[in-house]
Amino acid sequence: MILLAIETSCDETAAAVVRDGREVLSSVISSQVAIHADYGGVVPEIASRKHLESIVPVINRALHDAAIGMDALEGVAVTRGPGLSGALLVGFSVAKAIAAARKIPFVAVHHTEGHLFAPMLEQPVAFPFLALVVSGGHTHLYHVAGFGHYTTLGRTIDDAAGEAYDKCAKIMGMPYPGGALIDQMAQNGNPDAIRLPRPMLRDGTCNFSFSGLKTAVLQHIQKHPVTVPGRDADDLCASFQEAVCHLLAAKTEAAIRQIGATRLVVAGGVACNSGLRSRMKELCGKLGVELFIPHPSLCGDNAAMLAVPGDYYLSNGHVSSLSLDVTTTWNMDSIKESLS
Ligand code: KG4
Ligand code: ZN
């Protein structure tokens, strides 16, 4: 089945053409990051307007790159939520319009569901597996029994890991989004230079908390101002990264032990992080767990990842109604009920 996948949940307008939920024929991502950087974060109104301008050219480009026409499409998969409602509406409406006009099936996919299946665009991953999804909006541990069958084992009770990175970068006077830059600077710094807290490390749950870490960075800077670029800033970035990776690895280890997982997927924008990637390799090596982390190009928001669950749903008769609307809150654990 040749699917067109569309993603517009935040600040990336993306479209992809994917065959059989595996073979990426094209993947186009138009990022608005430079526009939002001026405001220090994503401005919802601007995001919707930019999606409106970009969506048709991005889809046309994806069809062109895949060397196919609209008539070759056999289905459309699109992010329904969570995300910014005005942004989601753009991709969702266009996807419904294409499905209606071409008389092809349409399927609504959870944004996080896309992230956690991104590794399957590179290689098969057998069920069940544990998934750590770390992005600007999510830090969740899921037990994944099959497509649509997710159980949340742990989640952040405040900021997401990517949000913590971006807030820390902002405190240090760095541009939005700061995750990748902190990662880069951390590689030149000393991770033991500054003692930062490890919130909820030993609370006996698989939940996370990152907001105290951000406050600790702010308090440190108030006492010891840092200059970017500079040695002190590198040390602060390395110490921050060490704290985040320590927390993510410790809670992931707790979840692995809790369910006896033999496979781990790490996905989402923060899965690009060099410290997290090496920490997870180390952890999985120690526990004898098979690790799947997508190539960095598939970690951040893209449309191709949606085609993996999208293809499964459409191939198994789970077609979404054209009367469906977007949703800004959508519990992954509730998806299984809509499939039965
Ligand atoms: O998955 P994504 O592209 O969008 C969301 O669904 O949120 O993730 C974006 C997040 C941002 O917070 C960004 O700062 C973070 O991923 N990020 C990183 C790195 N690259 C992107 N965080 C830490 N280290 C990186 N190398
Ligand atoms: Zn995302």
Side-chain angles (χ1 to χ4, degrees):
M1 185 187 293
I2 296 184
L3 281 194
L4 172 68
I6 299 173
E7 153 64 37
T8 62
S9 66
C10 191
D11 56 351
E12 259 96 33
T13 316
V17 178
V18 181
R19 194 199 308 268
D20 297 334
R22 282 192 311 270
E23 192 191 342
V24 182
L25 303 182
S26 66
S27 178
V28 180
I29 304 169
S30 168
S31 178
Q32 308 172 1
V33 138
I35 298 158
H36 298 289
D38 291 345
Y39 303 90
V42 178
V43 183
E45 272 300 311
I46 297 177
S48 331
R49 219 175 315 136
K50 287 289 153 194
H51 283 308
L52 268 177
E53 286 170 21
S54 309
I55 189 73
V56 172
V58 163
I59 290 173
N60 283 339
R61 178 88 222 171
L63 293 171
H64 174 271
D65 289 358
I68 61 160
M70 279 270 184
D71 52 346
L73 296 176
E74 292 165 283
V76 187
V78 63
T79 301
R80 180 185 171 216
L84 303 168
S85 56
L88 287 163
L89 264 173
V90 177
F92 206 69
S93 311
V94 170
K96 288 203 277 191
I98 292 173
R102 304 296 320 167
K103 297 189 174 48
I104 53 176
F106 152 84
V107 65
V109 177
H110 193 294
H111 179 75
T112 306
E113 209 176 0
H115 276 303
L116 65 86
F117 289 119
M120 290 199 190
L121 291 169
E122 297 175 320
Q123 61 186 308
V125 183
F127 296 114
F129 58 83
L130 174 70
L132 171 69
V133 182
V134 267
S135 70
H138 288 83
T139 300
H140 281 66
L141 280 160
Y142 297 106
H143 175 254
V144 181
F147 286 108
H149 292 262
Y150 319 116
T151 306
T152 302
L153 302 173
R155 53 171 299 163
T156 178
I157 61 157
D158 41 54
D159 294 345
E163 194 180 354
Y165 264 95
D166 297 340
K167 285 181 176 172
C168 179
K170 197 170 182 176
I171 293 168
M172 293 175 72
M174 286 148 59
Y176 171 86
L181 188 53
I182 290 191
D183 185 11
Q184 208 181 310
M185 289 167 62
Q187 291 170 50
N188 303 318
N190 172 8
D192 302 318
I194 299 138
R195 184 76 208 138
L196 294 172
R198 306 286 192 269
M200 290 172 58
L201 182 63
R202 275 180 263 279
D203 69 340
T205 74
C206 294
N207 291 330
F208 306 89
S209 168
F210 295 105
S211 72
L213 200 47
K214 165 200 70 194
T215 309
V217 168
L218 179 62
Q219 286 167 346
H220 174 83
I221 285 188
Q222 282 166 346
K223 282 194 217 133
H224 312 277
V226 297
T227 315
V228 179
R231 179 79 219 176
D232 290 348
D234 290 348
D235 283 347
L236 184 54
C237 289
S239 302
F240 174 80
Q241 181 141 308
E242 175 61 24
V244 173
C245 293
H246 185 182
L247 287 166
L248 291 173
K251 297 295 181 146
T252 302
E253 177 167 359
I256 289 173
R257 293 189 189 281
Q258 184 182 320
I259 60 166
T262 56
R263 285 174 284 270
L264 171 68
V265 161
V266 182
V270 183
C272 290
N273 187 270
S274 62
L276 185 61
R277 293 174 88 91
S278 55
R279 187 69 73 109
M280 288 298 168
K281 270 187 207 134
E282 204 180 291
L283 175 67
C284 288
K286 180 180 90 175
L287 301 178
V289 168
E290 210 179 343
L291 176 64
F292 302 88
I293 310 187
H295 184 271
S297 62
L298 288 171
C299 289
D301 287 350
N302 66 87
M305 65 186 190
L306 303 168
V308 182
D311 188 90
Y312 170 84
Y313 290 135
L314 292 182
S315 304
N316 287 276
H318 299 296
V319 177
S320 301
S321 159
L322 289 177
S323 64
L324 204 63
D325 206 350
V326 298
T327 170
T328 53
T329 53
W330 188 3
N331 185 347
M332 286 273 280
D333 296 38
S334 70
I335 294 176
K336 48 174 120 36
E337 284 136 40
S338 61
L339 295 178
S340 52

